[in-house]
Amino acid sequence: MTTRTSDNTDTLVVGGGQAGIAMSEHLSQLGVPHLVLERSRIAEAWRTRRWDSLVANGPAWHDRFPGKAFDGIGPDDFASKDDVAAYFEAYARMINAPLRTGVEVQRVTRHQGRPGFSVETSQGTIDAKRVVAATGPFQCPVIPSIAPDDEGLYQIHSADYRRPEQLPAGAVLVVGAGSSGVQIAEELHQQGRRVYLSVGPHDRPPRRYRGRDFCWWLGVLGEWDAEAMKPGTEHVTIAVSGAGGGKTIDFRSLAHQGITLVGRTRDITHGVVSFEQDLADNLARGDANYLAMLDAADAYLTRNGMDLPEDPDARQIPATPACVSTPLASLDLGAEGVTSIIWATGFSVDYRWLEVDTFDAQGRPLHQRGVSREPGVYFVGLPWQSRRGSSFIWGVWHDARHIAEHIATQRKYLAYDEDRRQHEQASSALPASPCASRDLRIS
């Protein structure tokens, strides 16, 4: 039987992944009493919501917190998912984070007539003056409504994919060509599967150019600090990979290797998939993004007088494969032996446990750099929370510092108010001066 308890804290952080651990570090540095709750284990999503061969998409020198490097991994290497989970475990120990695992937050409601929140958990109720939602952006896998109700077809989201052997024998349709979709498609192809890859609008930065990783280029070009998406890019994914030591994703090369590219998936009816005829346009858009970054990098080097090795091969675009010049309009799954569909179609957030007034009609947080519309409620780890890099490991760390400073400032105002109250109460309790009641007359 689980023992239910009552507890209280100044600030409660919900989530023990990268966002929660970053929050704990900054709150501790500012002397803010707090508690971090994690419903499973530290960095659980890295352990169980990733496929076996996944590595980080950024090199180890970049995708980390400032206070600790990865153990046993070179700075230009790409950490495995297990390496990342171990890193956050070690980091939590290093900062002595007040973290409780195996505790699920079930409901948060605001107190009536007094400050703070009542937090109902699987192990009791906690009274908190502030609540930080650090559960990240990848909470609920999204499978679009066009997914067919077909028991004979194996369908999973990319969050539930682990390895090729998990799928039944046969060809595979991968829907979505962001980092997850393209890496899964390539792994399946390398294991001898016939693969169809549905490609939508995307950016595809160079993995390395002129001796520097794309993470470095985005940094020096100021792209990581961009505070808003460019118009029309809201639904654009990024195709980049650290697999195999890292390489630039080129969809034409994948096609020449044997993967069949198709346009965006429009509909699936009676076992036949219909595709938009936008494949060539989507690839052209990706090429334009790629070449624009090379141009910006060259201009940066010229402007700053930097001498990095030339890289003429980077501008070579492979010949157009047949599946692009004559794209499929439809695909009969049964006739082509397709037995599985992997939906690499992203995630949505789920804050049903947070019963406060700071969400729009779609359940998305209303906030300014993580400070919500509901006083005392904060978010950290959201995409574009303050900048392009916000949902990356290092970006989360910097956003958490801003939230912690906001909390510390609020505590100072409240401390001043409490000091004033105590002073006023102490003054009113003093005995009256004898002169105060004397009837003074001037004759």
Side-chain angles (χ1 to χ4, degrees):
M1 181 177 67
T2 301
T3 301
R4 299 186 64 83
T5 61
S6 295
D7 204 347
N8 65 80
T9 186
D10 182 277
T11 299
L12 181 71
V13 180
V14 183
Q18 59 200 43
I21 292 170
M23 277 304 313
S24 183
E25 177 176 12
H26 292 299
L27 290 171
S28 292
Q29 289 176 348
L30 293 171
V32 178
H34 66 282
L35 179 64
V36 183
L37 298 185
E38 165 57 46
R39 66 181 177 182
S40 189
R41 297 173 293 176
I42 295 174
E44 181 66 17
W46 282 95
R47 305 173 192 273
T48 59
R49 303 305 300 271
R50 307 287 193 271
W51 61 94
D52 292 353
S53 63
L54 175 74
V55 298
N57 283 330
W61 69 263
H62 186 264
D63 280 9
R64 65 179 181 87
F65 289 168
K68 180 176 172 57
F70 278 90
D71 294 329
I73 300 176
D76 292 315
D77 294 337
F78 299 89
S80 72
K81 69 184 187 70
D82 293 330
D83 290 331
V84 175
Y87 175 87
F88 287 121
E89 277 193 328
Y91 206 96
R93 290 193 298 269
M94 182 183 76
I95 65 172
N96 196 27
L99 193 148
R100 297 180 189 173
T101 58
V103 182
E104 181 179 8
V105 173
Q106 300 166 332
R107 187 179 186 218
V108 175
T109 55
R110 178 173 284 285
H111 291 316
Q112 297 300 315
R114 62 187 179 97
F117 303 86
S118 176
V119 182
E120 299 176 18
T121 81
S122 57
Q123 294 188 11
T125 302
I126 297 174
D127 188 77
K129 294 179 180 177
R130 279 159 282 272
V131 175
V132 180
T135 50
F138 309 121
Q139 298 168 26
C140 295
V142 172
I143 294 180
S145 59
I146 61 172
D149 184 12
D150 184 349
E151 294 183 358
L153 188 63
Y154 185 81
Q155 301 181 74
I156 58 171
H157 191 273
S158 57
D160 298 313
Y161 171 78
R162 297 294 174 269
R163 63 194 70 87
E165 295 77 17
Q166 173 185 359
L167 309 183
V172 184
L173 169 63
V174 179
V175 180
S179 293
S180 296
V182 71
Q183 290 180 57
I184 292 171
E186 187 170 26
E187 178 175 86
L188 290 168
H189 171 70
Q190 291 171 349
Q191 292 298 310
R193 297 297 187 106
R194 188 153 52 94
V195 178
Y196 298 86
L197 177 60
S198 180
V199 180
H202 61 273
D203 288 346
R204 61 175 196 95
R207 176 73 272 174
R208 292 181 67 82
Y209 180 59
R210 300 187 69 167
R212 297 293 184 269
D213 190 87
F214 96 96
C215 290
W216 187 84
W217 283 116
L218 288 184
V220 298
L221 294 173
E223 291 294 326
W224 286 126
D225 291 322
E227 295 182 355
M229 298 181 188
K230 295 181 175 69
T233 64
E234 293 82 359
H235 303 291
V236 174
T237 60
I238 297 178
V240 66
S241 173
K247 59 184 175 182
T248 299
I249 297 298
D250 191 297
F251 290 97
R252 293 180 183 82
S253 295
L254 294 177
H256 286 305
Q257 294 167 25
I259 292 176
T260 301
L261 307 179
V262 294
R264 283 183 295 179
T265 300
R266 181 174 60 201
D267 183 52
I268 304 178
T269 304
H270 304 304
V272 177
V273 187
S274 300
F275 302 110
E276 301 284 357
Q277 295 300 286
D278 60 356
L279 177 58
D281 289 342
N282 293 335
L283 295 186
R285 178 199 173 106
D287 294 342
N289 169 262
Y290 172 80
L291 293 172
M293 186 167 176
L294 301 190
D295 291 342
D298 289 343
Y300 176 86
L301 296 181
T302 300
R303 185 169 62 251
N304 290 282
M306 296 178 65
D307 183 21
L308 292 181
E310 297 287 340
D311 192 356
D313 290 343
R315 293 182 179 272
Q316 300 300 312
I317 303 296
T320 300
C323 64
V324 176
S325 58
T326 310
L328 291 176
S330 62
L331 179 68
D332 187 320
L333 299 176
E336 297 302 325
V338 176
T339 59
S340 303
I341 299 179
I342 297 177
W343 298 96
T345 43
F347 296 80
S348 65
V349 294
D350 181 7
Y351 291 109
R352 287 174 294 180
W353 52 272
L354 190 51
E355 299 180 13
V356 296
D357 183 22
T358 188
F359 300 100
D360 65 14
Q362 287 73 44
R364 295 171 300 202
L366 298 171
H367 67 94
Q368 181 67 32
R369 293 188 64 186
V371 181
S372 86
R373 186 173 69 179
E374 179 83 23
V377 173
Y378 302 86
F379 297 92
V380 66
L382 298 176
W384 290 91
Q385 179 161 315
S386 68
R387 59 177 68 87
R388 179 177 180 174
S390 285
S391 58
F392 291 78
I393 291 173
W394 63 270
V396 164
W397 189 89
H398 289 286
D399 283 346
R401 178 169 60 185
H402 172 73
I403 297 301
E405 289 173 348
H406 190 280
I407 290 172
T409 299
Q410 289 298 306
R411 281 170 48 83
K412 290 177 182 178
Y413 282 116
L414 294 175
Y416 168 82
D417 181 69
E418 181 62 26
D419 288 345
R420 291 289 299 175
R421 288 177 183 272
Q422 292 180 3
H423 176 72
E424 290 166 358
Q425 290 173 358
S427 297
S428 64
L430 291 174
S433 169
C435 296
S437 59
R438 186 176 301 168
D439 186 11
L440 299 179
R441 288 189 174 93
I442 300 177
S443 58

